[in-house]
Amino acid sequence: MKSNSLSKPTLSQNTASLGVYRFGVAVAVLISLVAGIYLWKDRQDTLEREEAMGDLLTRILFNHVSRTLESSSAIMTVANQGSSSNLPTQSQLKSAIEKSSFIRSLSMLTEGGRVLASSEDGVVNQSVSWQQLGLERDVGDDLATGRWQPVRNLFDLNRSDARLKQFAILPLAMRMKRADGQVVRWVVLINPQYLIASFAESVDDQCDAVYVFDYAGRILASSSQRWFPHDQIFSDMPAVKRVAKNQEFGRYIDVRKDAKQDSEPLEVHYRTAAQLPVTVAVAISRSRVEGRWWLASKGIIGMSVLMLLATFVLTRHVAA
């Protein structure tokens, strides 16, 4: 009889303890579920904010680059219209570009590459290689972009010792007919850094990139020598292939490798227009964005862990 009376409380205690453990497990699952949903939603919101920022930055960059190229085209057109049968003087060409701080020089050349007039000193009657400038491709009368060059002007192009680290040019050219019927090419040398300088400050210079490239994927201006070095050709870029199919804007994830073979997933936003010879792009590192999100989520994760630990301790204590 005594044995039966002892077994009943023990059975009842075990049943109560089991109920407490079940309740503790339910609370722990609820805490984990709520924390997980919150973190997932917060991560999605973070990625969407970065996507919106990348798209907005690309739009603003596109407008800036478009205005710069349109301004360069207008200057060449006005200079050509202003020169009748006589060649423009150096002072006239200097005056034409004096209010455009991004332009290094303005020159008029023959189809063969001989300089007829220029705002520069010492280049008239000198010959320039269209291939060296990256302007050998015939684009008719449209605006053409050349290659990024580590020099200051046309005069430096023919000097093998004039390779600079702090200066560079990007040639822009247009074929035009003068009043006397002569066909010439006007060439403007602009500062490529002007295209991206104020935008590069908006992204991480170690992980992200702001860059401009041509139809072939040649980099004309870039804030990142790690991912998109100047004058390198990236013909495999999805943006190059999409632009070739007349997809003027878009977004995609691209995994890039640097010179050290370190890879990085980049969220790339690009934009161009049919009348422009270039495409602009903003690449945002997914690893950087998610790393920053993890750091910002430490408080929530830590609190969730503490709540789980407290639930475990309390459950053990009540069930004992």
Side-chain angles (χ1 to χ4, degrees):
M1 294 294 293
K2 186 180 292 188
S3 173
N4 290 337
S5 65
L6 287 174
S7 64
K8 288 181 180 179
T10 303
L11 183 61
S12 127
Q13 288 175 358
N14 289 341
T15 303
S17 296
L18 184 60
V20 170
Y21 278 121
R22 285 177 177 173
F23 179 76
V25 169
V27 171
V29 170
L30 181 61
I31 292 172
S32 301
L33 189 61
V34 171
I37 292 175
Y38 175 84
L39 290 172
W40 177 83
K41 184 66 169 60
D42 187 58
R43 178 179 178 273
Q44 292 301 113
D45 290 344
T46 299
L47 294 178
E48 288 175 4
R49 283 195 300 270
E50 290 294 330
E51 180 181 337
M53 189 204 78
D55 182 61
L56 177 62
L57 188 61
T58 305
R59 288 173 180 271
I60 299 173
L61 174 64
F62 171 77
N63 291 336
H64 170 68
V65 172
S66 298
R67 287 194 298 267
T68 302
L69 298 189
E70 289 169 1
S71 176
S72 300
S73 299
I75 287 174
M76 287 187 279
T77 301
V78 171
N80 186 69
Q81 293 173 347
S83 62
S84 54
S85 57
N86 296 324
L87 294 174
T89 64
Q90 183 181 20
S91 61
Q92 287 175 327
L93 296 182
K94 280 186 175 181
S95 177
I97 63 174
E98 65 180 355
K99 294 183 180 179
S100 302
S101 60
F102 61 92
I103 295 181
R104 299 198 186 280
S105 71
L106 170 64
S107 305
M108 182 173 69
L109 292 78
T110 66
E111 286 279 64
R114 184 170 64 87
V115 181
L116 298 174
S118 178
S119 62
E120 294 184 27
D121 296 323
V123 295
V124 174
N125 293 323
Q126 299 294 314
S127 293
V128 174
S129 168
W130 293 122
Q131 184 174 10
Q132 184 180 6
L133 285 174
L135 293 168
E136 72 277 12
R137 178 171 174 259
D138 187 3
V139 294
D141 297 333
D142 295 332
L143 178 69
T145 57
R147 296 175 57 180
W148 179 91
Q149 306 274 350
V151 295
R152 285 173 295 191
N153 46 40
L154 286 178
F155 182 77
D156 287 347
L157 276 175
N158 295 325
R159 296 173 53 198
S160 58
D161 61 330
R163 292 296 181 265
L164 307 172
K165 292 184 178 180
Q166 297 180 343
F167 295 93
I169 59 169
L170 178 63
L172 304 176
M174 289 185 72
R175 180 185 287 115
M176 299 182 187
K177 183 178 289 188
R178 301 183 65 210
D180 58 4
Q182 181 185 15
V183 176
V184 297
R185 282 204 210 183
W186 286 91
V187 176
V188 162
L189 303 183
I190 70 171
N191 175 12
Q193 196 62 23
Y194 175 81
L195 298 176
I196 61 170
S198 58
F199 301 92
E201 299 171 359
S202 302
V203 298
D204 190 294
D205 60 349
Q206 297 298 319
C207 305
D208 307 331
V210 175
Y211 55 105
V212 181
F213 57 94
D214 66 9
Y215 72 99
R218 185 185 295 277
I219 304 300
L220 307 178
S222 174
S223 66
S224 174
Q225 293 309 294
R226 179 186 181 190
W227 302 121
F228 301 101
H230 290 125
D231 202 42
Q232 298 298 305
I233 298 177
F234 295 88
S235 57
D236 63 333
M237 282 194 297
V240 173
K241 298 174 182 178
R242 293 187 183 187
V243 170
K245 296 178 181 179
N246 297 320
Q247 298 178 22
E248 295 185 346
F249 60 91
R251 178 184 67 89
Y252 58 88
I253 301 296
D254 188 22
V255 179
R256 282 282 150 193
K257 288 187 176 181
D258 59 15
K260 297 179 180 179
Q261 295 302 305
D262 293 331
S263 61
E264 185 82 22
L266 301 174
E267 182 179 286
V268 179
H269 300 255
Y270 74 92
R271 184 170 288 270
T272 188
Q275 71 274 17
L276 286 182
V278 301
T279 301
V280 305
V282 175
I284 299 174
S285 167
R286 268 297 182 91
S287 298
R288 176 187 63 80
V289 173
E290 294 192 353
R292 191 172 61 185
W293 172 77
W294 273 110
L295 288 175
S297 302
K298 277 185 175 181
I300 297 298
I301 295 174
M303 184 181 300
S304 300
V305 171
L306 286 176
M307 290 176 67
L308 289 172
L309 183 61
T311 301
F312 174 76
V313 172
L314 188 59
T315 300
R316 288 289 300 272
H317 177 72
V318 172

